[in-house]
């Protein structure tokens, strides 16, 4: 049994829907009405029970994973980040000593390294204390401008050569709910450390200014060791992109072959754990939301099961969900944040809600972002449309009776429209961005599936996940592989959805 207690799921009606779409979503309160040409809905959610059916079927128990889940061995060619943190929770302050080991895998020598410093997006949050190359005493010339740090190398770094960089800094978390922010009960460290930007094959550093919408970071797969020394205060618990080991006040994490490492410290939070085969799934939630946390863990395990089977096996020994007061979800490697509102709204016995949909969406990012990387600034559809489409694949397999509900609740109610393939800064508003990239993105992918045929499209998705595993794919790669796996004419679909 995955759940400690059996859960009965009853059909619900008359609920006010709390809508978000995952990853920086505004919330609107609405009951979806029928759109022109649609049948009126029999329930507020659009879920229409079958004849004689008054309750959803009991939750099926997922099969145990057959895969071995172990930490991928560190690879000296991958960037390596050692982060030692002294955390002063009441002051929202972290003193960080970061060591980066970086090997030049680009085809030409480098004269400088460009790092992205996400915390320097926030006024007064990042103070650089020191910076030096390994083996050098004097600090190198550098420029820190907003979230970009450019550091001159003492001599050109040839292809295949390795360099070490030590950076010491202080972080004061903003007093706001968010992936990088703090509330009296929680300190969230998402996008919190300087990292070396990815390089395109033509030698361009893929470092973009923060976009008002969506994400902007392109991350190479890296290895991480993170230790956090909790200073002064008791009662705080930690969770992050890996399962921590605790010795006294020191919490240590290790994660390899990952796009990022994020973590959170919380008061009066509990860690719920479920084994899924060799994979440890955990939910770090506010103690009063433990029931909803159990439910989210269940959905996470089903999503891991479905996506491991459809795409590639899940890559890490653990996955952690962290509840946070932000009104949103946000993916990182090995973990994701999920907004408290979805836990609060969860009602015992109900499964068709945002807690399920967004848990599944954020879990899908472990494939479309973490395993298959992309450029979320220029081609945000490549992870967001695929994650939203993955929700549909999940519903079709786990809750086929709820597929119509999902289309109405998640997509049709909002009137999907707009070009799918534009960069994040091309959309005028958040609603426009979501309606085009996520929702029309699902329509686009579903049309491709219809044209290719279900079986061949799934074969394509599996091959896409396999071939670009650990790499960065572009929209052109996606189309070329689709046309290779199922060579039919998709051009009219592309013309309608792409500019
Ligand atoms: Zn997303």
């Amino acid at each position: 049994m995955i759940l400690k207690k059996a859960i009965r799921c009853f059909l619900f009606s008359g609920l006010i829907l709390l809508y978000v779409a995952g990853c920086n979503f505004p919330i609107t309160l609405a009951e979806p009405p029928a759109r022109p040409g649609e049948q009126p809905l029999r329930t507020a959610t659009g879920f229409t029970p079958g004849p004689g059916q008054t309750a959803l079927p009991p939750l099926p128990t997922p099969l145990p994973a057959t895969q071995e889940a172990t930490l991928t061995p560190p690879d000296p060619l991958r960037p390596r980040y050692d982060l030692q943190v002294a955390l002063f929770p009441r002051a929202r302050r972290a003193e960080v000593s970061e060591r980066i080991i970086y090997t030049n895998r680009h085809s030409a020598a480098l004269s400088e390294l460009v790092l992205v410093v996400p915390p320097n997006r926030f006024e007064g949050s990042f103070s650089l204390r020191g910076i030096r190359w390994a083996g050098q005493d004097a600090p190198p010339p550098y420029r820190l401008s907003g979230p970009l740090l450019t550091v001159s190398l003492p001599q050109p770094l040839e292809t295949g050569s390795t360099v070490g960089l030590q950076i010491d800094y202080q972080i004061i978390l903003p007093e706001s709910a968010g992936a990088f922010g703090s509330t009296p009960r929680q300190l969230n460290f998402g996008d919190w450390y300087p990292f070396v930007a990815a390089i395109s094959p033509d030698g361009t550093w893929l470092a973009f200014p923060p976009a008002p919408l969506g994400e902007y970071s392109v991350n190479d797969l890296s290895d991480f060791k993170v230790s956090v020394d909790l200073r002064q205060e008791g009662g705080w618990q930690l969770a992050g992109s890996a399962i921590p080991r605790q010795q006294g006040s020191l919490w240590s994490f290790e994660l390899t072959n990952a796009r990022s490492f994020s973590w959170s410290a919380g008061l009066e939070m509990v860690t719920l754990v479920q084994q899924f085969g060799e994979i440890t799934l955990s939910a770090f939630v506010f103690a009063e939301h433990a029931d909803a946390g159990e439910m989210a863990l269940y959905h996470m395990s089903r999503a891991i099961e479905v996506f491991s089977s459809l795409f590639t096996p899940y890559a890490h020994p653990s996955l952690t969900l962290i509840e946070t007061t932000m009104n949103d979800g946000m993916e990182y490697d090995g973990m994701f944040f999920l907004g408290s509102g979805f836990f609060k709204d969860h009602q015992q016995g109900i499964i068709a809600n945002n807690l399920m949909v967004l848990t599944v969406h954020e879990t899908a990012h472990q494939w479309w972002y973490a395993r298959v990387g992309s450029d979320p600034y220029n081609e945000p559809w490549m992870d967001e449309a695929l994650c939203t489409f993955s929700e549909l694949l999940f519903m079709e397999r786990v809750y086929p009776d709820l597929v119509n509900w999902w289309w109405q609740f998640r997509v049709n109610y909002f009137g999907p429209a707009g070009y799918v393939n534009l960069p994040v800064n091309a959309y005028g508003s958040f609603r426009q961005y979501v309606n085009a990239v996520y929702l029309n993105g699902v329509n686009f992918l579903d049309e491709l599936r219809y044209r290719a045929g279900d079986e061949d499209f799934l074969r394509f998705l599996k091959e896409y996940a396999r071939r670009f595993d650990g790499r960065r794919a572009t929209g052109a790669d996606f189309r070329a592989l689709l046309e290779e796996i199922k060579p039919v004419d998709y051009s009219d679909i592309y013309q309608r959805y792409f500019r």
Side-chain angles (χ1 to χ4, degrees):
M1 284 284 284
I2 276 289
L3 291 179
K4 286 179 190 144
K5 52 185 180 290
I7 294 180
R8 299 265 311 153
C9 300
F10 298 102
L11 177 66
F12 59 106
S13 61
L15 280 184
I16 290 177
L17 300 178
L18 186 64
Y19 173 79
V20 298
C23 316
N24 295 317
F25 272 54
I27 286 183
T28 53
L29 288 169
E31 298 204 8
R35 304 198 78 77
E38 282 179 348
Q39 294 297 312
L41 298 167
R42 287 176 54 187
T43 70
T45 61
F47 172 64
T48 307
Q53 188 183 357
T54 54
L56 293 175
L59 297 174
T61 306
L63 299 169
T66 51
Q67 69 203 67
E68 283 284 302
T70 49
L71 210 57
T72 312
D75 182 341
L77 288 180
R78 282 197 288 263
R80 176 178 175 133
Y81 296 86
D82 280 288
L83 294 137
Q84 292 177 11
V85 182
L87 181 66
F88 302 86
R90 213 174 309 156
R92 301 175 282 114
R93 179 164 65 91
E95 302 289 342
V96 186
S97 171
E98 174 173 350
R99 195 177 59 182
I100 303 172
I101 310 289
Y102 182 82
T103 299
N104 180 10
R105 291 176 294 173
H106 183 55
S107 55
L110 300 172
S111 59
E112 57 188 23
L113 286 194
V114 173
L115 290 92
V116 180
V117 188
N120 209 34
R121 292 170 64 183
F122 299 86
E123 180 86 36
S125 280
F126 181 82
S127 305
L128 188 62
R129 303 282 200 224
I131 181 164
R132 65 181 178 84
W133 295 110
Q136 307 270 321
D137 291 330
Y142 71 87
R143 294 187 306 281
L144 176 62
S145 171
L148 292 186
L149 171 64
T150 305
V151 192
S152 300
L153 280 149
Q155 61 261 333
L157 187 66
E158 301 296 335
T159 302
S161 297
T162 300
V163 72
L165 182 63
Q166 172 81 36
I167 311 177
D168 298 300
Y169 50 93
Q170 181 192 71
I171 286 176
I172 309 268
L173 287 177
E175 276 183 285
S176 61
F180 182 76
S182 64
T183 59
R185 275 176 79 177
Q186 199 177 30
L187 305 166
N188 289 333
F189 289 83
D191 292 317
W192 60 287
Y193 57 90
F195 65 90
V196 182
I199 308 183
S200 74
D202 69 5
T204 309
W205 293 98
L206 298 174
F208 304 105
L213 316 165
E215 283 98 49
Y216 66 101
S217 290
V218 183
N219 304 83
D220 282 329
L221 287 174
S222 306
D223 295 339
F224 298 90
K225 270 191 178 170
V226 178
S227 66
V228 180
D229 193 1
L230 261 169
R231 299 289 176 88
Q232 298 167 347
E233 294 146 274
W236 289 82
Q237 303 281 314
L238 264 59
S241 289
I243 301 295
R245 285 189 314 273
Q246 188 190 357
Q247 274 188 310
S249 66
L250 193 67
W251 298 65
S252 317
F253 303 83
E254 187 168 3
L255 184 68
T256 56
N257 202 21
R259 301 275 170 196
S260 58
F261 188 96
S262 301
W263 58 287
S264 178
L267 272 180
E268 294 164 34
M269 293 185 76
V270 292
T271 301
L272 311 168
V273 178
Q274 284 178 7
Q275 265 326 106
F276 179 68
E278 299 290 314
I279 304 167
T280 303
L281 303 177
S282 68
F284 187 54
V285 297
F286 296 119
E288 61 272 27
H289 295 156
D291 282 352
E294 295 273 15
M295 197 69 223
L297 262 187
Y298 175 80
H299 293 312
M300 199 158 95
S301 71
R302 297 308 312 268
I304 290 269
E305 175 194 11
V306 169
F307 300 148
S308 289
S309 151
L310 286 180
F311 311 143
T312 50
Y314 181 67
H316 300 306
S318 68
L319 177 61
T320 298
L321 171 169
I322 298 180
E323 181 185 355
T324 168
T325 48
M326 65 196 266
N327 291 326
D328 206 344
M330 182 64 206
E331 72 279 8
Y332 294 98
D333 208 335
M335 67 147 277
F336 57 89
F337 287 117
L338 201 57
S340 244
F342 316 127
F343 291 81
K344 239 179 263 168
D345 289 349
H346 171 75
Q347 293 176 30
Q348 203 68 287
I350 292 172
I351 56 171
N353 56 18
N354 271 316
L355 187 68
M356 169 178 72
V357 168
L358 297 179
T359 297
V360 172
H361 178 100
E362 300 302 344
T363 302
H365 273 298
Q366 294 303 309
W367 282 266
W368 317 127
Y369 150 71
R371 294 316 307 165
V372 177
S374 54
D375 174 348
Y377 187 82
N378 288 301
E379 295 188 300
W381 74 271
M382 294 208 62
D383 62 337
E384 295 303 355
L386 268 171
C387 284
T388 314
F389 185 71
S390 298
E391 295 171 30
L392 174 60
L393 295 175
F394 172 91
M395 298 303 293
E396 289 169 346
R397 279 151 188 81
V398 180
Y399 301 113
D401 286 352
L402 291 174
V403 167
N404 289 340
W405 167 83
W406 179 88
W407 273 109
Q408 180 64 13
F409 176 79
R410 181 67 161 145
V411 182
N412 293 337
Y413 169 67
F414 298 95
Y419 289 116
V420 171
N421 67 325
L422 304 184
V424 279
N425 61 0
Y427 297 99
S429 72
F430 218 81
R431 190 69 257 160
Q432 263 181 22
Y433 167 65
V434 170
N435 282 8
V437 172
Y438 291 62
L439 307 185
N440 225 17
V442 168
N443 284 334
F444 164 65
L445 292 172
D446 208 37
E447 283 206 40
L448 291 181
R449 167 166 74 163
Y450 190 75
R451 181 69 53 85
D454 193 50
E455 206 174 295
D456 285 331
F457 194 73
L458 288 175
R459 200 158 56 80
F460 152 69
L461 275 185
K462 197 187 243 316
E463 178 60 16
Y464 175 70
R466 193 197 64 78
R467 200 176 293 188
F468 291 96
D469 184 78
R471 299 166 57 197
R472 206 166 47 241
T474 64
D477 294 327
F478 182 92
R479 184 172 182 173
L481 184 62
L482 175 61
E483 289 174 343
E484 176 192 320
I485 299 281
K486 187 65 188 281
V488 294
D489 185 9
Y490 303 98
S491 54
D492 60 312
I493 300 175
Y494 272 90
Q495 268 162 25
R496 269 183 287 119
Y497 287 97
F498 275 28
R499 188 162 72 192

